[in-house]
Amino acid sequence: GFDDLFQHEFSHEWFANQLTAANWDDFWLHEGFAAYMQPLYGKWRRGDGVYTAMMLQSRSGIQARSPLVTGKPQTAEDVYEKQPGRGGDIYTKGAWTLHTLRNLIGDRAFFDAVKLTVYGSLDPQPGNFQPVFRTTPDFIANVNQMAGRDLQWFFDVYLYQAALPKLVQKRDGDTLTLQWKAPNDKIFPMPVEVSVNGTVQNVAMPTGLATLTVPADAHVIIDPMSRILKQDDDVDAYQAWRLAQTKPPAPEKKAAQ
């Protein structure tokens, strides 16, 4: 129904003429936002179903083998050639990081943080803003300000670590235990939605651990609307299968004479 590549490149006109990353280490600010503009436009045009479908379509492309941000000056070659998977993840993982962040802090705080980062003002009007250079810490500071809380833990995992956080689930009778396992044992207090027999509840996890009482025969779905970027066994299996299809076949052994 629309050209999502056009939407992606159109967003660069917005960003590149107004906000420029201070160095290539922060280039996810360009590509992550440009990639995220595509499903956001799908949502505006046709609703949540299209938005969710577009997000899920891109999920299998996340490699999570290199951090999006290193904290050190980088060149284009560093980003696109020297660090495995990073050149693609600044698009897909960047977009999914923004998707997860928006669901965590809500639309108002999210879009106000974006506006403040891009324009330096919550009320940009012709004549009261100028083009700016921005860094990842600039964006994090604006998110913290607009959300009214310190979310460094969120960015420490999604931007500065390679691997995705894993939500470990254990059921024992009528007890469901959820525990976040983040790279390098980082604290990850991400709340998560849990559907129990079709009833959804938001489970706070301030220490990264939660225990719920659910019927032993209940049908449980964790994160039913796919609001959180996390390790996924199904995606891992699909990526492994896809990689296997690209490997050349082993040479045939000649029969002994």
Side-chain angles (χ1 to χ4, degrees):
F2 65 91
D3 187 338
D4 58 353
L5 180 59
F6 175 84
Q7 295 305 123
H8 179 97
E9 301 305 335
F10 179 73
S11 74
H12 284 314
E13 295 299 314
W14 171 37
F15 258 76
N17 290 324
Q18 175 55 34
L19 180 152
T20 299
N23 75 74
W24 281 88
D25 194 41
D26 301 305
F27 211 66
W28 81 277
L29 289 173
H30 281 272
E31 300 299 357
F33 274 96
Y36 193 44
M37 183 177 177
Q38 297 163 241
L40 282 179
Y41 177 71
K43 173 182 171 65
W44 175 85
R45 191 171 187 268
R46 297 185 60 189
D48 287 334
V50 167
Y51 171 87
T52 302
M54 293 178 71
M55 291 303 306
L56 291 176
Q57 186 178 38
S58 68
R59 173 62 183 87
S60 62
I62 297 175
Q63 298 189 45
R65 293 192 291 160
S66 297
L68 292 189
V69 183
T70 68
K72 301 177 181 179
Q74 303 282 293
T75 66
E77 184 181 13
D78 291 329
V79 174
Y80 283 102
E81 298 178 19
K82 292 185 178 181
Q83 297 165 39
R86 187 181 179 189
D89 276 2
I90 63 173
Y91 297 77
T92 49
K93 188 180 179 185
W96 264 87
T97 296
L98 296 172
H99 164 74
T100 305
L101 177 63
R102 186 172 72 85
N103 282 296
L104 175 64
I105 66 177
D107 279 8
R108 180 170 182 177
F110 176 80
F111 287 111
D112 279 352
V114 173
K115 192 183 298 182
L116 194 60
T117 302
V118 174
Y119 296 106
S121 169
L122 293 178
D123 182 32
Q125 299 294 329
N128 76 348
F129 61 87
Q130 295 180 344
V132 293
F133 287 95
R134 293 291 192 224
T135 65
T136 297
D138 290 335
F139 178 62
I140 295 174
N142 289 333
V143 169
N144 289 343
Q145 179 182 341
M146 293 299 101
R149 50 191 161 131
D150 187 356
L151 292 167
Q152 188 65 46
W153 59 268
F154 176 94
F155 297 102
D156 281 347
V157 169
Y158 283 121
L159 298 184
Y160 294 96
Q161 300 293 315
L164 298 176
K166 180 176 183 177
L167 186 57
V168 179
Q169 311 168 35
K170 293 183 180 179
R171 293 186 71 172
D172 183 9
D174 61 357
T175 299
L176 169 65
T177 302
L178 302 174
Q179 184 174 16
W180 282 110
K181 296 289 187 180
N184 295 317
D185 294 323
K186 288 186 173 292
I187 296 176
F188 195 68
M190 174 71 75
V192 62
E193 290 182 338
V194 178
S195 171
V196 180
N197 288 334
T199 300
V200 178
Q201 58 181 303
N202 193 58
V203 179
M205 300 183 65
T207 64
L209 177 69
T211 301
L212 293 77
T213 300
V214 301
D217 61 349
H219 180 52
V220 175
I221 303 174
I222 308 299
D223 189 26
M225 291 303 297
S226 300
R227 302 188 195 276
I228 301 174
L229 175 60
K230 56 188 179 300
Q231 183 273 337
D232 188 305
D233 289 342
D234 291 338
V235 172
D236 290 350
Y238 170 72
Q239 289 180 339
W241 171 84
R242 188 172 60 181
L243 179 63
Q245 311 312 303
T246 65
K247 293 182 178 179
E252 295 183 4
K253 293 182 178 180
K254 293 184 179 180
Q257 298 296 323

PDB file of all heavy atoms in Angstrom, residues 10-42:
ATOM      1  N   PHE A  10      12.914   9.390   3.270  1.00  0.00           N
ATOM      2  CA  PHE A  10      12.313  10.687   3.587  1.00  0.00           C
ATOM      3  C   PHE A  10      12.689  11.123   5.002  1.00  0.00           C
ATOM      4  O   PHE A  10      12.922  12.312   5.259  1.00  0.00           O
ATOM      5  CB  PHE A  10      10.793  10.596   3.446  1.00  0.00           C
ATOM      6  CG  PHE A  10      10.079  11.879   3.765  1.00  0.00           C
ATOM      7  CD1 PHE A  10      10.128  12.951   2.887  1.00  0.00           C
ATOM      8  CD2 PHE A  10       9.351  12.015   4.931  1.00  0.00           C
ATOM      9  CE1 PHE A  10       9.469  14.144   3.185  1.00  0.00           C
ATOM     10  CE2 PHE A  10       8.697  13.196   5.234  1.00  0.00           C
ATOM     11  CZ  PHE A  10       8.755  14.267   4.352  1.00  0.00           C
ATOM     12  N   SER A  11      12.775  10.171   5.913  1.00  0.00           N
ATOM     13  CA  SER A  11      13.130  10.522   7.291  1.00  0.00           C
ATOM     14  C   SER A  11      14.546  11.067   7.370  1.00  0.00           C
ATOM     15  O   SER A  11      14.866  11.879   8.247  1.00  0.00           O
ATOM     16  CB  SER A  11      12.979   9.315   8.209  1.00  0.00           C
ATOM     17  OG  SER A  11      14.023   8.385   8.009  1.00  0.00           O
ATOM     18  N   HIS A  12      15.421  10.622   6.443  1.00  0.00           N
ATOM     19  CA  HIS A  12      16.777  11.168   6.434  1.00  0.00           C
ATOM     20  C   HIS A  12      16.779  12.647   6.050  1.00  0.00           C
ATOM     21  O   HIS A  12      17.669  13.400   6.461  1.00  0.00           O
ATOM     22  CB  HIS A  12      17.660  10.376   5.468  1.00  0.00           C
ATOM     23  CG  HIS A  12      18.088   9.050   6.013  1.00  0.00           C
ATOM     24  ND1 HIS A  12      18.580   8.884   7.286  1.00  0.00           N
ATOM     25  CD2 HIS A  12      18.102   7.807   5.457  1.00  0.00           C
ATOM     26  CE1 HIS A  12      18.875   7.619   7.481  1.00  0.00           C
ATOM     27  NE2 HIS A  12      18.581   6.944   6.390  1.00  0.00           N
ATOM     28  N   GLU A  13      15.829  13.061   5.233  1.00  0.00           N
ATOM     29  CA  GLU A  13      15.726  14.492   4.931  1.00  0.00           C
ATOM     30  C   GLU A  13      15.413  15.274   6.201  1.00  0.00           C
ATOM     31  O   GLU A  13      15.918  16.369   6.430  1.00  0.00           O
ATOM     32  CB  GLU A  13      14.639  14.719   3.878  1.00  0.00           C
ATOM     33  CG  GLU A  13      14.946  14.102   2.525  1.00  0.00           C
ATOM     34  CD  GLU A  13      16.207  14.684   1.922  1.00  0.00           C
ATOM     35  OE1 GLU A  13      16.374  15.923   1.938  1.00  0.00           O
ATOM     36  OE2 GLU A  13      17.048  13.899   1.436  1.00  0.00           O
ATOM     37  N   TRP A  14      14.559  14.696   7.039  1.00  0.00           N
ATOM     38  CA  TRP A  14      14.236  15.325   8.319  1.00  0.00           C
ATOM     39  C   TRP A  14      15.457  15.352   9.224  1.00  0.00           C
ATOM     40  O   TRP A  14      15.871  16.399   9.723  1.00  0.00           O
ATOM     41  CB  TRP A  14      13.086  14.549   8.976  1.00  0.00           C
ATOM     42  CG  TRP A  14      12.772  14.926  10.391  1.00  0.00           C
ATOM     43  CD1 TRP A  14      12.797  16.192  10.952  1.00  0.00           C
ATOM     44  CD2 TRP A  14      12.377  14.049  11.441  1.00  0.00           C
ATOM     45  NE1 TRP A  14      12.435  16.148  12.266  1.00  0.00           N
ATOM     46  CE2 TRP A  14      12.179  14.829  12.600  1.00  0.00           C
ATOM     47  CE3 TRP A  14      12.172  12.683  11.519  1.00  0.00           C
ATOM     48  CZ2 TRP A  14      11.781  14.281  13.820  1.00  0.00           C
ATOM     49  CZ3 TRP A  14      11.765  12.140  12.725  1.00  0.00           C
ATOM     50  CH2 TRP A  14      11.582  12.936  13.857  1.00  0.00           C
ATOM     51  N   PHE A  15      16.077  14.150   9.390  1.00  0.00           N
ATOM     52  CA  PHE A  15      17.196  14.059  10.313  1.00  0.00           C
ATOM     53  C   PHE A  15      18.441  14.754   9.798  1.00  0.00           C
ATOM     54  O   PHE A  15      19.042  15.577  10.477  1.00  0.00           O
ATOM     55  CB  PHE A  15      17.511  12.578  10.591  1.00  0.00           C
ATOM     56  CG  PHE A  15      16.981  12.105  11.911  1.00  0.00           C
ATOM     57  CD1 PHE A  15      15.637  11.833  12.073  1.00  0.00           C
ATOM     58  CD2 PHE A  15      17.824  11.954  12.989  1.00  0.00           C
ATOM     59  CE1 PHE A  15      15.144  11.404  13.285  1.00  0.00           C
ATOM     60  CE2 PHE A  15      17.343  11.526  14.216  1.00  0.00           C
ATOM     61  CZ  PHE A  15      16.002  11.240  14.359  1.00  0.00           C
ATOM     62  N   ALA A  16      18.866  14.413   8.581  1.00  0.00           N
ATOM     63  CA  ALA A  16      20.168  14.881   8.108  1.00  0.00           C
ATOM     64  C   ALA A  16      20.220  16.396   7.940  1.00  0.00           C
ATOM     65  O   ALA A  16      21.294  16.996   8.019  1.00  0.00           O
ATOM     66  CB  ALA A  16      20.530  14.190   6.799  1.00  0.00           C
ATOM     67  N   ASN A  17      19.078  17.012   7.690  1.00  0.00           N
ATOM     68  CA  ASN A  17      19.062  18.469   7.560  1.00  0.00           C
ATOM     69  C   ASN A  17      18.880  19.175   8.898  1.00  0.00           C
ATOM     70  O   ASN A  17      18.968  20.390   8.974  1.00  0.00           O
ATOM     71  CB  ASN A  17      17.944  18.896   6.604  1.00  0.00           C
ATOM     72  CG  ASN A  17      18.250  18.501   5.178  1.00  0.00           C
ATOM     73  OD1 ASN A  17      19.401  18.541   4.753  1.00  0.00           O
ATOM     74  ND2 ASN A  17      17.238  18.107   4.431  1.00  0.00           N
ATOM     75  N   GLN A  18      18.597  18.413   9.953  1.00  0.00           N
ATOM     76  CA  GLN A  18      18.350  19.028  11.247  1.00  0.00           C
ATOM     77  C   GLN A  18      19.243  18.436  12.337  1.00  0.00           C
ATOM     78  O   GLN A  18      19.843  19.145  13.116  1.00  0.00           O
ATOM     79  CB  GLN A  18      16.870  18.883  11.633  1.00  0.00           C
ATOM     80  CG  GLN A  18      16.512  19.376  13.026  1.00  0.00           C
ATOM     81  CD  GLN A  18      16.926  20.812  13.274  1.00  0.00           C
ATOM     82  OE1 GLN A  18      16.898  21.660  12.362  1.00  0.00           O
ATOM     83  NE2 GLN A  18      17.323  21.123  14.496  1.00  0.00           N
ATOM     84  N   LEU A  19      19.322  17.114  12.401  1.00  0.00           N
ATOM     85  CA  LEU A  19      20.143  16.439  13.403  1.00  0.00           C
ATOM     86  C   LEU A  19      21.168  15.560  12.715  1.00  0.00           C
ATOM     87  O   LEU A  19      20.812  14.771  11.836  1.00  0.00           O
ATOM     88  CB  LEU A  19      19.266  15.584  14.322  1.00  0.00           C
ATOM     89  CG  LEU A  19      19.955  14.811  15.440  1.00  0.00           C
ATOM     90  CD1 LEU A  19      19.004  14.603  16.601  1.00  0.00           C
ATOM     91  CD2 LEU A  19      20.486  13.449  14.978  1.00  0.00           C
ATOM     92  N   THR A  20      22.421  15.690  13.107  1.00  0.00           N
ATOM     93  CA  THR A  20      23.494  14.863  12.573  1.00  0.00           C
ATOM     94  C   THR A  20      24.237  14.211  13.720  1.00  0.00           C
ATOM     95  O   THR A  20      24.515  14.861  14.731  1.00  0.00           O
ATOM     96  CB  THR A  20      24.468  15.698  11.728  1.00  0.00           C
ATOM     97  OG1 THR A  20      23.762  16.267  10.626  1.00  0.00           O
ATOM     98  CG2 THR A  20      25.598  14.849  11.195  1.00  0.00           C
ATOM     99  N   ALA A  21      24.533  12.920  13.583  1.00  0.00           N
ATOM    100  CA  ALA A  21      25.296  12.216  14.611  1.00  0.00           C
ATOM    101  C   ALA A  21      26.692  12.821  14.716  1.00  0.00           C
ATOM    102  O   ALA A  21      27.312  13.160  13.707  1.00  0.00           O
ATOM    103  CB  ALA A  21      25.394  10.728  14.275  1.00  0.00           C
ATOM    104  N   ALA A  22      27.177  12.941  15.937  1.00  0.00           N
ATOM    105  CA  ALA A  22      28.481  13.567  16.157  1.00  0.00           C
ATOM    106  C   ALA A  22      29.609  12.761  15.528  1.00  0.00           C
ATOM    107  O   ALA A  22      30.577  13.320  15.039  1.00  0.00           O
ATOM    108  CB  ALA A  22      28.721  13.755  17.651  1.00  0.00           C
ATOM    109  N   ASN A  23      29.509  11.424  15.565  1.00  0.00           N
ATOM    110  CA  ASN A  23      30.456  10.586  14.833  1.00  0.00           C
ATOM    111  C   ASN A  23      29.752   9.276  14.491  1.00  0.00           C
ATOM    112  O   ASN A  23      28.626   9.027  14.911  1.00  0.00           O
ATOM    113  CB  ASN A  23      31.762  10.387  15.618  1.00  0.00           C
ATOM    114  CG  ASN A  23      31.617   9.415  16.773  1.00  0.00           C
ATOM    115  OD1 ASN A  23      31.532   8.209  16.584  1.00  0.00           O
ATOM    116  ND2 ASN A  23      31.599   9.954  17.992  1.00  0.00           N
ATOM    117  N   TRP A  24      30.412   8.410  13.744  1.00  0.00           N
ATOM    118  CA  TRP A  24      29.758   7.199  13.242  1.00  0.00           C
ATOM    119  C   TRP A  24      29.346   6.246  14.358  1.00  0.00           C
ATOM    120  O   TRP A  24      28.511   5.363  14.141  1.00  0.00           O
ATOM    121  CB  TRP A  24      30.668   6.492  12.237  1.00  0.00           C
ATOM    122  CG  TRP A  24      30.634   7.143  10.890  1.00  0.00           C
ATOM    123  CD1 TRP A  24      31.423   8.168  10.455  1.00  0.00           C
ATOM    124  CD2 TRP A  24      29.744   6.834   9.810  1.00  0.00           C
ATOM    125  NE1 TRP A  24      31.078   8.522   9.172  1.00  0.00           N
ATOM    126  CE2 TRP A  24      30.052   7.712   8.744  1.00  0.00           C
ATOM    127  CE3 TRP A  24      28.728   5.902   9.634  1.00  0.00           C
ATOM    128  CZ2 TRP A  24      29.381   7.677   7.532  1.00  0.00           C
ATOM    129  CZ3 TRP A  24      28.057   5.861   8.421  1.00  0.00           C
ATOM    130  CH2 TRP A  24      28.384   6.744   7.388  1.00  0.00           C
ATOM    131  N   ASP A  25      29.918   6.391  15.542  1.00  0.00           N
ATOM    132  CA  ASP A  25      29.515   5.530  16.652  1.00  0.00           C
ATOM    133  C   ASP A  25      28.043   5.742  17.013  1.00  0.00           C
ATOM    134  O   ASP A  25      27.407   4.860  17.573  1.00  0.00           O
ATOM    135  CB  ASP A  25      30.392   5.814  17.877  1.00  0.00           C
ATOM    136  CG  ASP A  25      30.264   4.739  18.946  1.00  0.00           C
ATOM    137  OD1 ASP A  25      30.216   3.543  18.584  1.00  0.00           O
ATOM    138  OD2 ASP A  25      30.201   5.085  20.137  1.00  0.00           O
ATOM    139  N   ASP A  26      27.523   6.920  16.698  1.00  0.00           N
ATOM    140  CA  ASP A  26      26.131   7.260  17.015  1.00  0.00           C
ATOM    141  C   ASP A  26      25.221   7.172  15.797  1.00  0.00           C
ATOM    142  O   ASP A  26      24.119   7.721  15.806  1.00  0.00           O
ATOM    143  CB  ASP A  26      26.061   8.680  17.592  1.00  0.00           C
ATOM    144  CG  ASP A  26      26.891   8.833  18.857  1.00  0.00           C
ATOM    145  OD1 ASP A  26      26.664   8.055  19.794  1.00  0.00           O
ATOM    146  OD2 ASP A  26      27.774   9.705  18.901  1.00  0.00           O
ATOM    147  N   PHE A  27      25.669   6.454  14.766  1.00  0.00           N
ATOM    148  CA  PHE A  27      24.905   6.480  13.524  1.00  0.00           C
ATOM    149  C   PHE A  27      23.582   5.736  13.614  1.00  0.00           C
ATOM    150  O   PHE A  27      22.727   5.871  12.747  1.00  0.00           O
ATOM    151  CB  PHE A  27      25.738   5.931  12.362  1.00  0.00           C
ATOM    152  CG  PHE A  27      25.385   6.582  11.048  1.00  0.00           C
ATOM    153  CD1 PHE A  27      25.636   7.926  10.841  1.00  0.00           C
ATOM    154  CD2 PHE A  27      24.787   5.860  10.039  1.00  0.00           C
ATOM    155  CE1 PHE A  27      25.293   8.549   9.655  1.00  0.00           C
ATOM    156  CE2 PHE A  27      24.441   6.470   8.829  1.00  0.00           C
ATOM    157  CZ  PHE A  27      24.692   7.820   8.642  1.00  0.00           C
ATOM    158  N   TRP A  28      23.382   4.965  14.675  1.00  0.00           N
ATOM    159  CA  TRP A  28      22.070   4.349  14.869  1.00  0.00           C
ATOM    160  C   TRP A  28      20.996   5.415  15.035  1.00  0.00           C
ATOM    161  O   TRP A  28      19.811   5.167  14.752  1.00  0.00           O
ATOM    162  CB  TRP A  28      22.101   3.412  16.084  1.00  0.00           C
ATOM    163  CG  TRP A  28      21.954   4.121  17.395  1.00  0.00           C
ATOM    164  CD1 TRP A  28      22.942   4.743  18.114  1.00  0.00           C
ATOM    165  CD2 TRP A  28      20.744   4.309  18.129  1.00  0.00           C
ATOM    166  NE1 TRP A  28      22.428   5.314  19.247  1.00  0.00           N
ATOM    167  CE2 TRP A  28      21.068   5.051  19.289  1.00  0.00           C
ATOM    168  CE3 TRP A  28      19.418   3.938  17.930  1.00  0.00           C
ATOM    169  CZ2 TRP A  28      20.116   5.423  20.239  1.00  0.00           C
ATOM    170  CZ3 TRP A  28      18.461   4.298  18.881  1.00  0.00           C
ATOM    171  CH2 TRP A  28      18.821   5.029  20.013  1.00  0.00           C
ATOM    172  N   LEU A  29      21.391   6.638  15.483  1.00  0.00           N
ATOM    173  CA  LEU A  29      20.426   7.733  15.605  1.00  0.00           C
ATOM    174  C   LEU A  29      19.828   8.087  14.246  1.00  0.00           C
ATOM    175  O   LEU A  29      18.688   8.543  14.164  1.00  0.00           O
ATOM    176  CB  LEU A  29      21.089   8.968  16.221  1.00  0.00           C
ATOM    177  CG  LEU A  29      21.463   8.894  17.699  1.00  0.00           C
ATOM    178  CD1 LEU A  29      22.265  10.125  18.107  1.00  0.00           C
ATOM    179  CD2 LEU A  29      20.228   8.748  18.572  1.00  0.00           C
ATOM    180  N   HIS A  30      20.604   7.881  13.183  1.00  0.00           N
ATOM    181  CA  HIS A  30      20.069   8.092  11.837  1.00  0.00           C
ATOM    182  C   HIS A  30      19.261   6.883  11.381  1.00  0.00           C
ATOM    183  O   HIS A  30      18.081   6.974  11.065  1.00  0.00           O
ATOM    184  CB  HIS A  30      21.211   8.334  10.842  1.00  0.00           C
ATOM    185  CG  HIS A  30      21.758   9.727  10.875  1.00  0.00           C
ATOM    186  ND1 HIS A  30      21.233  10.740  10.118  1.00  0.00           N
ATOM    187  CD2 HIS A  30      22.775  10.273  11.580  1.00  0.00           C
ATOM    188  CE1 HIS A  30      21.907  11.853  10.343  1.00  0.00           C
ATOM    189  NE2 HIS A  30      22.854  11.589  11.228  1.00  0.00           N
ATOM    190  N   GLU A  31      19.930   5.725  11.342  1.00  0.00           N
ATOM    191  CA  GLU A  31      19.323   4.563  10.702  1.00  0.00           C
ATOM    192  C   GLU A  31      18.254   3.887  11.559  1.00  0.00           C
ATOM    193  O   GLU A  31      17.266   3.366  11.038  1.00  0.00           O
ATOM    194  CB  GLU A  31      20.402   3.557  10.298  1.00  0.00           C
ATOM    195  CG  GLU A  31      21.434   4.113   9.326  1.00  0.00           C
ATOM    196  CD  GLU A  31      20.843   4.567   7.994  1.00  0.00           C
ATOM    197  OE1 GLU A  31      19.624   4.404   7.768  1.00  0.00           O
ATOM    198  OE2 GLU A  31      21.606   5.113   7.180  1.00  0.00           O
ATOM    199  N   GLY A  32      18.450   3.874  12.875  1.00  0.00           N
ATOM    200  CA  GLY A  32      17.434   3.290  13.738  1.00  0.00           C
ATOM    201  C   GLY A  32      16.128   4.058  13.675  1.00  0.00           C
ATOM    202  O   GLY A  32      15.042   3.471  13.568  1.00  0.00           O
ATOM    203  N   PHE A  33      16.220   5.381  13.711  1.00  0.00           N
ATOM    204  CA  PHE A  33      15.017   6.205  13.621  1.00  0.00           C
ATOM    205  C   PHE A  33      14.391   6.127  12.236  1.00  0.00           C
ATOM    206  O   PHE A  33      13.175   6.115  12.091  1.00  0.00           O
ATOM    207  CB  PHE A  33      15.332   7.661  13.985  1.00  0.00           C
ATOM    208  CG  PHE A  33      15.257   7.934  15.460  1.00  0.00           C
ATOM    209  CD1 PHE A  33      16.393   7.897  16.249  1.00  0.00           C
ATOM    210  CD2 PHE A  33      14.043   8.221  16.062  1.00  0.00           C
ATOM    211  CE1 PHE A  33      16.323   8.139  17.611  1.00  0.00           C
ATOM    212  CE2 PHE A  33      13.961   8.465  17.420  1.00  0.00           C
ATOM    213  CZ  PHE A  33      15.108   8.425  18.204  1.00  0.00           C
ATOM    214  N   ALA A  34      15.232   6.087  11.198  1.00  0.00           N
ATOM    215  CA  ALA A  34      14.699   5.993   9.838  1.00  0.00           C
ATOM    216  C   ALA A  34      13.963   4.669   9.643  1.00  0.00           C
ATOM    217  O   ALA A  34      12.890   4.615   9.034  1.00  0.00           O
ATOM    218  CB  ALA A  34      15.824   6.137   8.820  1.00  0.00           C
ATOM    219  N   ALA A  35      14.544   3.578  10.176  1.00  0.00           N
ATOM    220  CA  ALA A  35      13.885   2.279  10.069  1.00  0.00           C
ATOM    221  C   ALA A  35      12.596   2.261  10.885  1.00  0.00           C
ATOM    222  O   ALA A  35      11.607   1.623  10.498  1.00  0.00           O
ATOM    223  CB  ALA A  35      14.831   1.171  10.537  1.00  0.00           C
ATOM    224  N   TYR A  36      12.593   2.945  12.017  1.00  0.00           N
ATOM    225  CA  TYR A  36      11.392   2.957  12.868  1.00  0.00           C
ATOM    226  C   TYR A  36      10.296   3.836  12.282  1.00  0.00           C
ATOM    227  O   TYR A  36       9.111   3.623  12.553  1.00  0.00           O
ATOM    228  CB  TYR A  36      11.750   3.417  14.281  1.00  0.00           C
ATOM    229  CG  TYR A  36      10.650   3.174  15.295  1.00  0.00           C
ATOM    230  CD1 TYR A  36       9.959   1.968  15.324  1.00  0.00           C
ATOM    231  CD2 TYR A  36      10.296   4.154  16.226  1.00  0.00           C
ATOM    232  CE1 TYR A  36       8.953   1.734  16.253  1.00  0.00           C
ATOM    233  CE2 TYR A  36       9.304   3.933  17.163  1.00  0.00           C
ATOM    234  CZ  TYR A  36       8.631   2.720  17.163  1.00  0.00           C
ATOM    235  OH  TYR A  36       7.629   2.496  18.081  1.00  0.00           O
ATOM    236  N   MET A  37      10.670   4.812  11.474  1.00  0.00           N
ATOM    237  CA  MET A  37       9.649   5.660  10.867  1.00  0.00           C
ATOM    238  C   MET A  37       8.742   4.852   9.929  1.00  0.00           C
ATOM    239  O   MET A  37       7.575   5.197   9.747  1.00  0.00           O
ATOM    240  CB  MET A  37      10.293   6.801  10.090  1.00  0.00           C
ATOM    241  CG  MET A  37       9.275   7.769   9.485  1.00  0.00           C
ATOM    242  SD  MET A  37      10.071   9.158   8.646  1.00  0.00           S
ATOM    243  CE  MET A  37       8.628  10.010   7.998  1.00  0.00           C
ATOM    244  N   GLN A  38       9.265   3.770   9.371  1.00  0.00           N
ATOM    245  CA  GLN A  38       8.474   2.978   8.424  1.00  0.00           C
ATOM    246  C   GLN A  38       7.256   2.345   9.110  1.00  0.00           C
ATOM    247  O   GLN A  38       6.120   2.559   8.672  1.00  0.00           O
ATOM    248  CB  GLN A  38       9.374   1.935   7.765  1.00  0.00           C
ATOM    249  CG  GLN A  38      10.502   2.541   6.945  1.00  0.00           C
ATOM    250  CD  GLN A  38      11.602   1.552   6.636  1.00  0.00           C
ATOM    251  OE1 GLN A  38      12.754   1.725   7.011  1.00  0.00           O
ATOM    252  NE2 GLN A  38      11.268   0.464   5.957  1.00  0.00           N
ATOM    253  N   PRO A  39       7.403   1.569  10.189  1.00  0.00           N
ATOM    254  CA  PRO A  39       6.209   1.044  10.859  1.00  0.00           C
ATOM    255  C   PRO A  39       5.370   2.127  11.526  1.00  0.00           C
ATOM    256  O   PRO A  39       4.144   1.976  11.627  1.00  0.00           O
ATOM    257  CB  PRO A  39       6.767   0.050  11.882  1.00  0.00           C
ATOM    258  CG  PRO A  39       8.187   0.432  12.061  1.00  0.00           C
ATOM    259  CD  PRO A  39       8.639   0.989  10.755  1.00  0.00           C
ATOM    260  N   LEU A  40       6.007   3.206  11.983  1.00  0.00           N
ATOM    261  CA  LEU A  40       5.211   4.301  12.554  1.00  0.00           C
ATOM    262  C   LEU A  40       4.276   4.896  11.507  1.00  0.00           C
ATOM    263  O   LEU A  40       3.121   5.231  11.797  1.00  0.00           O
ATOM    264  CB  LEU A  40       6.124   5.393  13.123  1.00  0.00           C
ATOM    265  CG  LEU A  40       6.760   5.132  14.481  1.00  0.00           C
ATOM    266  CD1 LEU A  40       7.653   6.312  14.867  1.00  0.00           C
ATOM    267  CD2 LEU A  40       5.704   4.896  15.558  1.00  0.00           C
ATOM    268  N   TYR A  41       4.767   5.028  10.287  1.00  0.00           N
ATOM    269  CA  TYR A  41       3.904   5.521   9.218  1.00  0.00           C
ATOM    270  C   TYR A  41       2.818   4.494   8.895  1.00  0.00           C
ATOM    271  O   TYR A  41       1.655   4.847   8.652  1.00  0.00           O
ATOM    272  CB  TYR A  41       4.718   5.830   7.957  1.00  0.00           C
ATOM    273  CG  TYR A  41       3.857   6.277   6.805  1.00  0.00           C
ATOM    274  CD1 TYR A  41       3.246   7.536   6.811  1.00  0.00           C
ATOM    275  CD2 TYR A  41       3.624   5.436   5.717  1.00  0.00           C
ATOM    276  CE1 TYR A  41       2.432   7.941   5.762  1.00  0.00           C
ATOM    277  CE2 TYR A  41       2.818   5.843   4.656  1.00  0.00           C
ATOM    278  CZ  TYR A  41       2.222   7.092   4.690  1.00  0.00           C
ATOM    279  OH  TYR A  41       1.414   7.492   3.653  1.00  0.00           O
ATOM    280  N   GLY A  42       3.198   3.194   8.926  1.00  0.00           N
ATOM    281  CA  GLY A  42       2.199   2.151   8.716  1.00  0.00           C
ATOM    282  C   GLY A  42       1.096   2.219   9.764  1.00  0.00           C
ATOM    283  O   GLY A  42      -0.088   2.052   9.449  1.00  0.00           O
TER     284      GLY A  42
END
